[in-house]
Amino acid sequence: MMDENIPCIIKPIDGAILNRHDGEVKGKGLLIEVNLRAPSEAKVFVNSIPAKWDGQLWRCIVALTEHRTELIACAELREKKSEHHIVVLYDRNSTPRYRMSVDDNIMFLRDIAHNSTDYRSIFDDPYMAFWREMHRRYGTKVHLNIYYQTVDGSFTLRQMPDKFKNEWRENSHWLRLTFHALQDEPARPYRNAPASEIEHDFLLVTEEIIRFAGEELLSPFTTIHWGEATREGCRALRKQGIHGLVGYFVFHNGEPAVSYYLDADHTRYMQEHDYWWDRSEDIFFVHHDIVLNAFPLDRITPELERIAENPHQSEIMELIIHEQYFREDIPHLYQPDAQQKVIAALEWVTERGYKPVLYDEGFIGAPEP
C-alpha cells in the first residue's frame, strides 16, 4: 500500500516523451496536466505549483519549457513532507514523420558480393534499385538491419567487397545499415543471451559495415532480431553507441514479447505510444506501427487509418517489412506483392504530409526548424 505521506505521479510516467498532442503549446512551452495520488487532506505541489483535488486525484498544470524537465511532487501532511521525482522530455519540434525499416537483411548483400565483378553499382541489384526508386519517388529514407551471415554460413559480411564504399557513403543521406543479429536462426537469439554475446555479434556486424560501406551508414538506433534482449544486453549495446531500440511491444501468453527487457506496465505503455525513454539505462524505445508483410495488400491502408486515429501512436509512423518476403528463392515466404505493399504504405504517409526521416536526424527524427 502507498504510504499516506508519499505522493505518486501517475501521469505522465517517468521517461515519457511529450509532444504537441500531450498538452497545449503556448509560446515556446507545452502546458501539460500532471495527475498524482496523495492523501486528500494533504497540501500537494508540483514544481512548487499548487495542485487541486478533484475527488479522486490531484491535478496540476505545469509548463515544459526545456527539452528535459524534472517534475517534483511534494505532499505536506501532519508536518511531514515527502516527494516523488520523475523526468519527462519535451519533443518540441515534433511533426508527423515516418521511417521505413527493413529487418532480416543478408541475401541482397550476398547477391552484391557474388556479382561484384559485373555490378558497377550497388543499385544494379534489383532490391537496392527498388529502395532507391522509393527514395526518388517519395523521398523515403530506408534503414536496413542486417545479419552477419547466412544460416548455412556460406556467406558472411567479410565477403562483401569495399568496391562500392564511396557509393554507399554518397547515399548515406537516405540509407542506414545497422546490426540485427548474427544470423536468422535460432529465433529470439538474445532473449536470454549474456551481454558478451550480443556485444560480440554487434561488433562483428558493425566493423564490417564500416569497412565496406563507411561509418556514415551507421545509426544509434537499431532493431534487434525478434526485439528481445536482456537489460544487460541492451546496456552493452548502449555502451557501444546504440541509443534507441525499435520493437512491436506485444504480449504472448500473457507475457511481454518483442519488447526487449520491458515489464508488462511499460510494454502496455508502448502499445499506446510512439516512444519512451528509459532514463535508468538512457535508452529510447520506438514502437513499430505496421509490419507490412503481415497484412494483405488491401488491408494496408485501413490499418494505417486505424493507427492514425490515435495521435499518441501516429506522430511517428514506423513502417517495417522483412527482406525474405521479396525473395523468389525463398518460396515459402515470398510475397509477389511485397513491393506493392511498400508503395501503398509510402503513398499513404506521403499524401498525409508525413516527412521521411532517419531517427538520428534531430531528436528521434524530428527535424530541426
Side-chain angles (χ1 to χ4, degrees):
M1 295 178 62
M2 181 185 74
D3 185 306
E4 65 173 6
N5 286 333
I6 298 178
C8 180
I9 298 173
I10 59 174
K11 184 180 180 181
I13 71 167
D14 188 36
I17 305 172
L18 307 173
N19 60 43
R20 60 200 178 97
H21 297 295
D22 295 291
E24 178 188 353
V25 177
K26 194 168 185 179
K28 295 184 178 181
L30 180 71
L31 300 180
I32 65 165
E33 182 180 83
V34 178
N35 297 168
L36 58 155
R37 294 193 182 99
S40 59
E41 63 271 27
K43 292 181 180 179
V44 179
F45 303 84
V46 180
N47 291 13
S48 300
I49 301 169
K52 295 181 179 180
W53 174 251
D54 71 357
Q56 292 184 319
L57 295 172
W58 290 91
R59 300 178 186 273
C60 184
I61 301 298
V62 176
L64 307 182
T65 57
E66 304 296 331
H67 174 63
R68 173 180 171 142
T69 299
E70 183 176 20
L71 298 178
I72 305 172
C74 178
E76 300 178 4
L77 181 65
R78 290 189 282 275
E79 299 183 352
K80 292 184 179 181
K81 293 183 180 180
S82 56
E83 295 181 344
H84 180 211
H85 296 228
I86 70 168
V87 176
V88 298
L89 301 181
Y90 177 23
D91 186 1
R92 185 189 305 277
N93 301 319
S94 185
T95 188
R97 55 203 189 267
Y98 79 94
R99 186 189 73 155
M100 183 75 236
S101 67
V102 193
D103 279 0
D104 298 355
N105 290 282
I106 190 66
M107 305 302 286
F108 86 94
L109 293 166
R110 183 198 65 180
D111 294 345
I112 291 173
H114 287 178
N115 291 284
S116 60
T117 301
D118 298 324
Y119 281 2
R120 302 176 69 179
S121 164
I122 56 174
F123 300 111
D124 288 340
D125 177 73
Y127 185 71
M128 286 301 294
F130 170 72
W131 291 119
R132 183 174 64 173
E133 176 58 26
M134 295 302 96
H135 171 66
R136 288 177 171 176
R137 190 185 304 183
Y138 303 109
T140 301
K141 299 184 178 184
V142 183
H143 189 129
L144 303 169
N145 298 303
I146 69 176
Y147 296 130
Y148 176 73
Q149 63 190 21
T150 54
V151 173
D152 63 7
S154 62
F155 173 75
T156 76
L157 293 183
R158 288 186 181 180
Q159 295 168 252
M160 269 296 290
D162 60 6
K163 170 183 177 180
F164 306 108
K165 190 169 186 176
N166 287 339
E167 188 174 37
W168 285 109
R169 283 172 162 167
E170 289 167 1
N171 288 277
S172 63
H173 60 289
W174 66 274
L175 268 177
R176 291 291 182 270
L177 298 174
T178 57
F179 165 76
H180 193 48
L182 179 69
Q183 59 184 34
D184 190 55
E185 296 176 2
R188 301 176 179 85
Y190 305 113
R191 186 175 192 177
N192 299 303
S196 58
E197 181 178 341
I198 193 170
E199 184 174 33
H200 171 269
D201 294 351
F202 171 85
L203 291 173
L204 271 181
V205 173
T206 302
E207 288 168 2
E208 291 302 323
I209 291 171
I210 293 171
R211 178 189 61 79
F212 74 78
E215 194 169 358
E216 297 89 338
L217 275 292
L218 298 178
S219 170
F221 287 78
T222 195
T223 305
I224 302 304
H225 193 30
W226 286 89
E228 296 188 354
T230 64
R231 179 181 291 271
E232 292 72 22
C234 293
R235 186 179 297 156
L237 294 184
R238 180 68 187 91
K239 290 179 179 178
Q240 292 296 336
I242 292 298
H243 205 177
L245 298 167
V246 188
Y248 299 171
F249 304 99
V250 296
F251 286 85
H252 180 68
N253 293 329
E255 297 294 326
V258 202
S259 303
Y260 297 94
Y261 59 82
L262 300 195
D263 60 19
D265 287 343
H266 287 102
T267 297
R268 277 189 287 269
Y269 182 84
M270 283 301 301
Q271 287 184 318
E272 296 295 325
H273 293 83
D274 284 320
Y275 42 16
W276 175 68
W277 173 51
D278 180 357
R279 71 180 177 114
S280 69
E281 303 294 344
D282 192 21
I283 295 174
F284 294 103
F285 291 94
V286 179
H287 181 204
H288 282 305
D289 287 288
I290 183 170
V291 185
L292 298 175
N293 51 264
F295 289 85
L297 178 59
D298 62 0
R299 292 297 305 164
I300 299 293
T301 295
E303 178 64 10
L304 290 169
E305 295 285 0
R306 182 193 68 78
I307 296 166
E309 293 176 359
N310 184 344
H312 302 295
Q313 289 181 279
S314 59
E315 184 79 345
I316 301 175
M317 278 291 191
E318 167 70 14
L319 314 176
I320 180 177
I321 196 166
H322 297 73
E323 185 196 34
Q324 300 98 314
Y325 298 94
F326 292 84
R327 304 288 308 194
E328 292 186 55
D329 53 353
I330 310 179
H332 68 290
L333 293 176
Y334 175 57
Q335 294 182 356
D337 58 358
Q339 292 188 4
Q340 284 67 42
K341 291 180 178 184
V342 171
I343 291 170
L346 295 182
E347 287 186 345
W348 188 92
V349 291
T350 301
E351 289 171 0
R352 283 153 184 80
Y354 282 79
K355 296 181 180 179
V357 300
L358 296 165
Y359 291 152
D360 51 296
E361 300 174 325
F363 177 67
I364 314 184
E368 297 294 333

